[in-house]
Amino acid sequence: MFRFILRRLLQMVLAFFGTTLIVYALMFAGQGDPIQALAGERPVTAAQRAYLTEKFHLDRTGVGGFFYRYFDYLKNLLQGDLGQSLTGRSIGDILAAAWPVTVKLALIAMAVTILFGVTAGVLAGIRRASIFDNSTLLLTLLVLGIPTIVLAPLAQYLLGVKWQLFPPTAGADPDLYALLLPGIVLGSLSLATALRLTRTSVAENLRADYVRTARSKGLVKRRIVSVHVLRNSLIPVVTFLGVELGNLMSGAIITEGVFNIPGVGFNLFRGIRTEDGPLVVGIVSVLVVVYLVSNLVVDVLYAVLDPRIRYE
């Protein structure tokens, strides 16, 4: 297990540097005029342009200038300094303000996925080919067929504006109730996928040989499902939830944009729109770490859920 974790940590380091290099290249290699993009239609004085150009090393052009800025960014990043955005605000401060909101939103979405998706998936797998099973398959197919860019405004209009069951927008400092509707929308696709995955896994394990052996020994169905089937069925589900948690923690750009949530995805979209390269690269660098760590935790949990799995 120790050697496996060590190998994964080394892979994580390579993945981190590779990802940051790609994102840095996409943001800066073919970038036009980030200073003018930030200012929009407003004029930029020569003094302001000279200051920003020197501060972000934009005067260094070509491949050499690109790698100079990249390695300078990595040096500061390894020291815990994410740098400053083109607006002059610290990226660390931006993330410090955005992370609590995104974490709440992700936890709500994950709770909805586990409570409703996994639970309904277990029931559908046990009652395969029943009315409940067919209904859930139809509903999940409908949810998976609706993109978030359609589902989010539709839920906002129906549940927030027309029926007024939830606040239509979250605002600058949203509470849990204001984040409930965006969390449900964000977790809807995860819920549908988790339900189908759990249902398939449970149905397959119910037909396994060890289940027939347990039945022949006189074990009641409740014990067979809770002790044997559920534990083995959770392995692919935990894999999906772990990867999905990394995705949810990154914050959905569409969901946070529709509901005006000042989270990580909202700031990431703002940075892309204004061509704020330092802000985009800084946010993505942190998101890569979150995603890699969540995948490592999932791999380690394999051995806990199934003792037959061993990492050599």
Side-chain angles (χ1 to χ4, degrees), residues 155-199:
Q156 182 186 46
Y157 172 72
L158 292 177
L159 301 178
V161 177
K162 188 174 183 179
W163 298 330
Q164 298 182 357
L165 299 177
F166 300 96
T169 58
D173 189 18
D175 54 13
L176 288 177
Y177 180 67
L179 294 175
L180 188 57
L181 180 58
I184 294 174
V185 172
L186 181 61
S188 59
L189 296 181
S190 303
L191 185 152
T193 305
L195 192 154
R196 283 176 164 261
L197 185 62
T198 306
R199 179 253 182 197

Side-chain angles (χ1 to χ4, degrees), residues 7-289:
R7 287 200 305 268
R8 285 304 305 268
L9 289 175
L10 293 176
Q11 293 172 1
M12 288 170 59
V13 171
L14 295 176
F16 173 77
F17 286 117
T19 305
T20 54
L21 177 60
I22 293 174
V23 174
Y24 202 91
L26 291 174
M27 286 304 303
F28 290 106
Q31 194 177 42
D33 188 354
I35 299 176
Q36 189 61 53
L38 179 66
E41 298 181 356
R42 293 174 298 177
V44 180
T45 64
Q48 291 173 334
R49 181 176 293 276
Y51 170 75
L52 293 174
T53 299
E54 181 181 359
K55 182 178 181 179
F56 294 101
H57 308 293
L58 297 177
D59 53 334
R60 294 177 177 266
T61 59
V63 178
F66 166 75
F67 280 103
Y68 175 86
R69 292 191 296 270
Y70 174 68
F71 287 119
D72 182 68
Y73 166 75
L74 285 182
K75 181 186 69 174
N76 296 329
L77 182 64
L78 294 177
Q79 296 174 354
D81 181 13
L82 294 173
Q84 291 183 340
S85 68
L86 293 180
T87 60
R89 187 180 177 188
S90 172
I91 298 176
D93 293 340
I94 296 176
L95 285 175
W99 267 120
V101 180
T102 297
V103 168
K104 293 178 183 178
L105 185 64
L107 290 179
I108 292 174
M110 186 58 63
V112 170
T113 301
I114 295 174
L115 291 177
F116 296 99
V118 176
T119 303
V122 172
L123 296 176
I126 296 174
R127 303 175 181 178
R128 189 179 181 187
S130 64
I131 297 178
F132 178 79
D133 181 30
N134 294 329
S135 300
T136 54
L137 290 179
L138 181 62
L139 289 175
T140 54
L141 182 62
L142 181 63
V143 172
L144 291 173
I146 302 177
T148 307
I149 196 173
V150 176
L151 184 61
L154 183 63
Q156 182 186 46
Y157 172 72
L158 292 177
L159 301 178
V161 177
K162 188 174 183 179
W163 298 330
Q164 298 182 357
L165 299 177
F166 300 96
T169 58
D173 189 18
D175 54 13
L176 288 177
Y177 180 67
L179 294 175
L180 188 57
L181 180 58
I184 294 174
V185 172
L186 181 61
S188 59
L189 296 181
S190 303
L191 185 152
T193 305
L195 192 154
R196 283 176 164 261
L197 185 62
T198 306
R199 179 253 182 197
T200 302
S201 184
V202 170
E204 289 179 354
N205 279 282
L206 284 174
R207 297 194 299 267
D209 293 336
Y210 71 88
V211 173
R212 287 193 290 267
T213 302
R215 288 173 179 168
S216 66
K217 291 181 178 181
L219 292 178
V220 296
K221 185 176 181 179
R222 179 180 299 178
R223 180 171 178 80
I224 294 174
V225 173
S226 61
V227 176
H228 301 285
V229 174
L230 189 58
R231 183 172 184 177
N232 291 325
S233 301
L234 282 179
I235 295 177
V237 179
V238 169
T239 304
F240 167 76
L241 292 178
V243 175
E244 195 65 15
L245 179 61
N247 295 331
L248 295 176
M249 289 291 289
S250 65
I253 293 179
I254 297 176
T255 305
E256 292 188 356
V258 170
F259 291 96
N260 194 27
I261 302 173
V264 176
F266 182 84
N267 286 279
L268 181 59
F269 174 72
R270 186 184 63 184
I272 295 174
R273 186 186 61 202
T274 59
E275 297 185 24
D276 194 336
L279 178 61
V280 173
V281 176
I283 292 178
V284 171
S285 299
V286 176
L287 296 182
V288 169
V289 174

